[in-house]
Amino acid sequence: MSVKLSQFAKCFISSLVSAFLDFLIFYLVNKCLSITASTVIARIASTTVNFLINKFWAFESDRNFFRESIPFAVLFVCKMAASAALVNFFHSILSETPVPTIVIKICVDGTLFFVSYVIQKKFIFVKS
């Protein structure tokens, strides 16, 4: 029996795999480095995996690799900056509470996922 997944479901699974990698690397690196440095290192690794899974599986794109990778890289930089800024912002607001930084990061990056999906579908992995 074969289950056909929707494009959104595939993108969601791709994001879960990438998010797991992102959170794991962030958690490990954040023990030694700042929130911003941890975000950058984790995001580079997870975004590379995310791009490849999305291109070849979620969106099944046959368009030119570089034609898609450049706008994806721009999206990556914007998401990374937004994630770092928002995690830092909410961390400073909630610093007197017991809310762990990783919980803030999960909330911020979960929200950024939906924005990213729409941008990828409408502007990056557009069917030829």
Side-chain angles (χ1 to χ4, degrees):
M1 180 164 119
S2 175
V3 175
K4 180 154 173 59
L5 297 172
S6 71
Q7 187 179 67
F8 181 82
K10 288 179 178 181
C11 196
F12 185 72
I13 291 167
S14 171
S15 277
L16 287 178
V17 168
S18 300
F20 175 77
L21 181 62
D22 187 67
F23 295 136
L24 178 64
I25 294 169
F26 176 84
Y27 176 77
L28 296 172
V29 174
N30 191 239
K31 291 181 176 289
C32 303
L33 300 175
S34 70
I35 290 171
T36 302
S38 300
T39 299
V40 170
I41 292 166
R43 192 56 52 96
I44 288 170
S46 66
T47 297
T48 300
V49 169
N50 186 257
F51 173 77
L52 294 171
I53 293 172
N54 283 352
K55 176 171 178 48
F56 296 110
W57 184 60
F59 292 100
E60 299 175 4
S61 177
D62 58 358
R63 289 180 63 207
N64 181 280
F65 185 87
F66 294 104
R67 188 174 190 176
E68 292 171 332
S69 64
I70 291 170
F72 195 89
V74 171
L75 176 62
F76 154 74
V77 170
C78 292
K79 279 178 36 183
M80 183 174 53
S83 178
L86 291 169
V87 171
N88 273 307
F89 173 73
F90 288 115
H91 175 74
S92 69
I93 288 175
L94 300 171
S95 64
E96 301 298 319
T97 71
V99 177
T101 305
I102 196 72
V103 171
I104 296 168
K105 182 167 173 52
I106 290 169
C107 294
V108 166
D109 288 353
T111 303
L112 290 174
F113 162 76
F114 290 102
V115 174
S116 176
Y117 172 75
V118 171
I119 291 170
Q120 288 178 68
K121 182 177 175 119
K122 294 195 177 288
F123 302 107
I124 298 174
F125 298 112
V126 180
K127 294 285 184 187
S128 308

